[in-house]
Amino acid sequence: MLAYLAVPLIFLAAGFLQGLSGFGSALIAMPLLAFFIDIKTAVATCTLCGMVINIRMTMNLSGHLDREKIVPLMVGCVPGVVFGTILLREVDGHVITLMLGILVSSYAIYSLLVRPVVLKLNPKWGMLAGFMTGAITAAASAGGPPTIIYSTLMGWQKNDFKATLSAFFLMAATLSAIGHLVGGLTTFYVFKLFLLSLPLVLLGVYLGHRLAGRVSEEAYKKVVMLLLVFMGIMLILNGLG
């Protein structure tokens, strides 16, 4: 019974964070959900709520969508989701999250201490970022970091950054949800938790998006890196747990 009260409140906070930054719902949700439900239920529920969050975010930022930015990520995502769904069934998810946490926290700390590097990478690198995001999203519902790192290296502006992430994460979450359903990970219990969380998820996204309009480009980039540090630490702790 406690889960039916706690899970919607967790997704209120998760929706707010992603409405503000363009990513990070799993950053808050996954560690907290682990206190109330098992990890596979948490992944499946977080994926469904992530779909709703990114639908709302994509609608809010539709004027900033750019097909050339999104397509390479999507092309890489499809095989990544297939790989990640198999990985979730066969491999301990803690190993995945530990390795990802070390990578993410190291990159974010470096970016905070040293002036961020803009490399303007060939868009083909987006396919690799998409593959990694699809795989980690399906396996651990925390696949954002590879695409976030790729996007920051490309030097995109705040709204372009958020729009690209939202549209791409929507596809990744949708494919992951299909994979979870086919793989038997999305149960009736997962659907109940999702439906109970839906109103608060939408409220959180709305409040976060309203606040985001008041944040400058420079402050936004610092917030992104600080969230990545926190995300990395939480992933490491989850991987060690």
Side-chain angles (χ1 to χ4, degrees):
M1 184 64 186
L2 182 58
Y4 291 128
L5 297 174
V7 171
L9 292 175
I10 290 170
F11 281 115
L12 171 65
F16 175 81
L17 177 60
Q18 189 141 338
L20 174 64
S21 67
F23 68 95
S25 59
L27 161 67
I28 283 187
M30 288 301 295
L32 295 177
L33 290 172
F35 288 107
F36 302 99
I37 54 181
D38 68 88
I39 188 65
K40 291 188 178 181
T41 298
V43 168
T45 306
C46 196
T47 298
L48 291 175
C49 287
M51 286 176 58
V52 172
I53 290 170
N54 286 301
I55 287 171
R56 183 69 261 179
M57 290 290 294
T58 301
M59 292 172 64
N60 289 342
L61 296 162
S62 59
H64 295 273
L65 294 174
D66 184 343
R67 186 174 60 183
E68 292 185 3
K69 292 182 174 70
I70 298 169
V71 169
L73 295 167
M74 290 183 171
V75 170
C77 180
V78 176
V81 167
V82 175
F83 179 74
T85 301
I86 296 171
L87 205 63
L88 179 60
R89 296 173 64 88
E90 304 295 335
V91 179
D92 185 352
H94 289 90
V95 176
I96 302 169
T97 55
L98 176 60
M99 294 177 64
L100 181 64
I102 293 170
L103 169 66
V104 170
S105 56
S106 300
Y107 170 77
I109 291 170
Y110 170 81
S111 296
L112 285 170
L113 296 177
V114 180
R115 186 175 178 83
V117 177
V118 176
L119 298 179
K120 299 289 185 181
L121 298 169
N122 188 307
K124 291 181 180 179
W125 281 96
M127 290 188 282
L128 176 60
F131 178 87
M132 294 176 65
T133 291
I136 300 167
T137 297
S141 196
T147 298
I148 296 165
I149 291 172
Y150 167 74
S151 300
T152 56
L153 290 174
M154 294 296 282
W156 296 334
Q157 295 299 306
K158 178 176 72 173
N159 285 333
D160 294 337
F161 178 93
K162 291 174 66 177
T164 301
L165 291 184
S166 298
F168 172 59
F169 289 161
L170 173 58
M171 177 187 175
T174 301
L175 291 174
S176 296
I178 293 170
H180 293 163
L181 185 62
V182 172
L185 298 171
T186 303
T187 62
F188 181 64
Y189 180 48
V190 168
F191 275 117
K192 285 198 293 184
L193 291 173
F194 167 65
L195 291 174
L196 284 171
S197 303
L198 188 57
L200 291 183
V201 165
L202 292 171
L203 175 61
V205 174
Y206 171 77
L207 294 174
H209 182 67
R210 288 291 300 271
L211 180 60
R214 304 178 184 180
V215 178
S216 69
E217 288 282 347
E218 190 64 28
Y220 176 76
K221 290 175 182 177
K222 289 183 179 179
V223 167
V224 168
M225 290 305 160
L226 288 170
L227 287 174
L228 279 177
V229 172
F230 184 55
M231 176 183 283
I233 293 170
M234 295 304 292
L235 288 169
I236 291 170
L237 293 175
N238 188 39
L240 295 173

